[in-house]
Amino acid sequence: MFDYTVSTNERVEDAVNNLENSLKEEQFGVLWSFDIKDKLQEKGLDFKKEYRVLEVCNPEEAQRVLTENQMTGYFLPCKIVVYDDDGTTKIGMPKPTALINMINDDVVHALAKDIEERLITCIDRSV
């Protein structure tokens, strides 16, 4: 599977707050939080669903993967989305291991697997 996605009973805003707190426990920071609904409405487009994109990074991990292979920067920072799917809030991300497979580097794949497991833990703790 390309992604890891879970459902929660939390509202989107509460799920985002829970996720941000969980990420901090793993030393991941939110570099950018993008509210797609607000941006599209600002541009005059009719989009009513809550949809947030968080770009997250652990600086030490970013340094490790970039030192090993600079092409990993094509996949940084990691994205996690929180959105309303017909009344159910979903939290998901593209799996770092799925993305890194395109580079074909065993060392980087091992690093990506560790990061992926930690991000999955953060997502699971936030539901």
Side-chain angles (χ1 to χ4, degrees):
M1 297 275 309
F2 165 77
D3 70 303
Y4 179 79
T5 304
V6 297
S7 298
T8 179
N9 293 325
E10 300 285 346
R11 296 178 313 124
V12 168
E13 192 63 35
D14 293 333
V16 168
N17 290 334
N18 292 345
L19 180 59
E20 288 174 344
N21 290 330
S22 181
L23 288 164
K24 285 179 191 173
E25 293 177 26
E26 287 289 334
Q27 286 77 48
F28 284 88
V30 176
L31 303 174
W32 186 58
S33 180
F34 182 58
D35 188 324
I36 290 180
K37 180 185 91 172
D38 284 354
K39 184 53 79 176
L40 292 177
Q41 288 180 350
E42 176 185 304
K43 300 293 182 185
L45 299 169
D46 185 30
F47 190 81
K48 294 182 174 72
K49 291 191 180 232
E50 295 291 330
Y51 203 106
R52 301 276 299 275
V53 178
L54 284 70
E55 292 199 341
V56 304
C57 182
N58 176 309
E60 291 176 2
E61 298 300 343
Q63 185 269 337
R64 284 175 60 196
V65 297
L66 284 167
T67 298
E68 188 62 40
N69 188 322
Q70 291 187 41
M71 291 185 75
T72 60
Y74 293 6
F75 308 112
L76 298 179
C78 296
K79 284 188 175 33
I80 301 178
V81 297
V82 182
Y83 60 99
D84 175 60
D85 184 20
D86 294 324
T88 299
T89 299
K90 295 199 175 170
I91 305 170
M93 68 174 184
K95 289 182 175 180
T97 54
L99 297 172
I100 289 299
N101 278 337
M102 293 181 221
I103 293 178
N104 198 23
D105 181 323
D106 290 340
V107 173
V108 171
H109 189 272
L111 295 171
K113 183 167 177 41
D114 176 59
I115 292 165
E116 179 177 300
E117 290 170 356
R118 292 167 58 199
L119 289 174
I120 286 172
T121 297
C122 292
I123 290 171
D124 287 348
R125 281 192 300 219
S126 66
V127 295

